[in-house]
Amino acid sequence: MKTLKLSLFAAAALFVSVSASAQDKKATELKKDTKSASIPAATAPAAVTPATSQKPTGLTFKEESFNFGDIEKGKPVTHEFSFKNTSKETILITAVKASCGCTTPNWTKEPIKPGESGTVTATYNAANPGPFTKTVTVTTNDTDQNKILVIKGKVNGDTAPAPAPTPAVKQ
């Protein structure tokens, strides 16, 4: 039993050692890549964050947000976001994901060549009364950045007033 515990301890120590070694190797490679960059020190930005070094997607949407206004409970509503490929490359929408199950997306599945247009459609199931704001995230093959589309509005509840209580009848 004692040898089993020692073996397990040795295996865990080896795993930790290998993991730390791999992380050190990645950090060293990253430093080498950074040093070999051809940006002169005088023009290099003070700090480059991943968000600023990413290029935006080549899809230009007519609008990125749509307000349905007041809508009726129980009746789904749909909005079509149209876009144009303003890049010089063919773009493919690889995924479109709604922020919740109450919103269903649909989109142009074919590759979009430069200058061509397409759509992303969002259908909201107006089941619960009250205001709503939902997002649809569009992922493409041309960048790591996602495009966030927003739909919002207010679902009106049942408009029929509750029936008045019946007065008690004395006999």
Side-chain angles (χ1 to χ4, degrees):
M1 184 70 168
K2 192 173 186 179
T3 55
L4 178 62
K5 287 182 181 177
L6 288 175
S7 296
L8 290 173
F9 180 74
L14 180 62
F15 177 74
V16 170
S17 174
V18 169
S19 295
S21 176
Q23 288 176 347
D24 289 344
K25 185 176 178 182
K26 279 185 177 180
T28 303
E29 289 174 3
L30 183 60
K31 286 179 185 176
K32 285 180 184 176
D33 288 345
T34 305
K35 287 180 182 176
S36 66
S38 61
I39 300 173
T43 60
V48 176
T49 60
T52 60
S53 64
Q54 295 176 344
K55 67 176 185 169
T57 183
L59 299 182
T60 302
F61 283 81
K62 263 187 172 177
E63 59 188 342
E64 296 178 18
S65 180
F66 182 77
N67 189 341
F68 287 106
D70 288 349
I71 59 176
E72 190 177 332
K73 180 181 173 184
K75 293 196 177 179
V77 290
T78 300
H79 181 70
E80 186 175 273
F81 293 94
S82 61
F83 61 83
K84 185 174 185 178
N85 180 353
T86 55
S87 73
K88 294 180 181 177
E89 301 173 13
T90 298
I91 297 176
L92 178 65
I93 296 177
T94 56
V96 177
K97 186 174 184 208
S99 60
C100 73
C102 59
T103 305
T104 306
N106 195 2
W107 62 96
T108 300
K109 309 264 190 315
E110 301 81 29
I112 304 108
K113 294 179 182 175
E116 289 184 349
S117 297
T119 60
V120 174
T121 304
T123 300
Y124 177 71
N125 180 11
N128 297 319
F132 67 91
T133 300
K134 305 296 176 185
T135 60
V136 176
T137 304
V138 180
T139 306
T140 65
N141 68 333
D142 73 324
T143 181
D144 291 336
Q145 285 186 324
N146 297 325
K147 178 63 80 176
I148 308 291
L149 305 174
V150 178
I151 57 171
K152 55 187 170 181
K154 180 181 176 193
V155 178
N156 294 324
D158 296 331
T159 55
T166 311
V169 178
K170 291 186 178 183
Q171 291 183 345

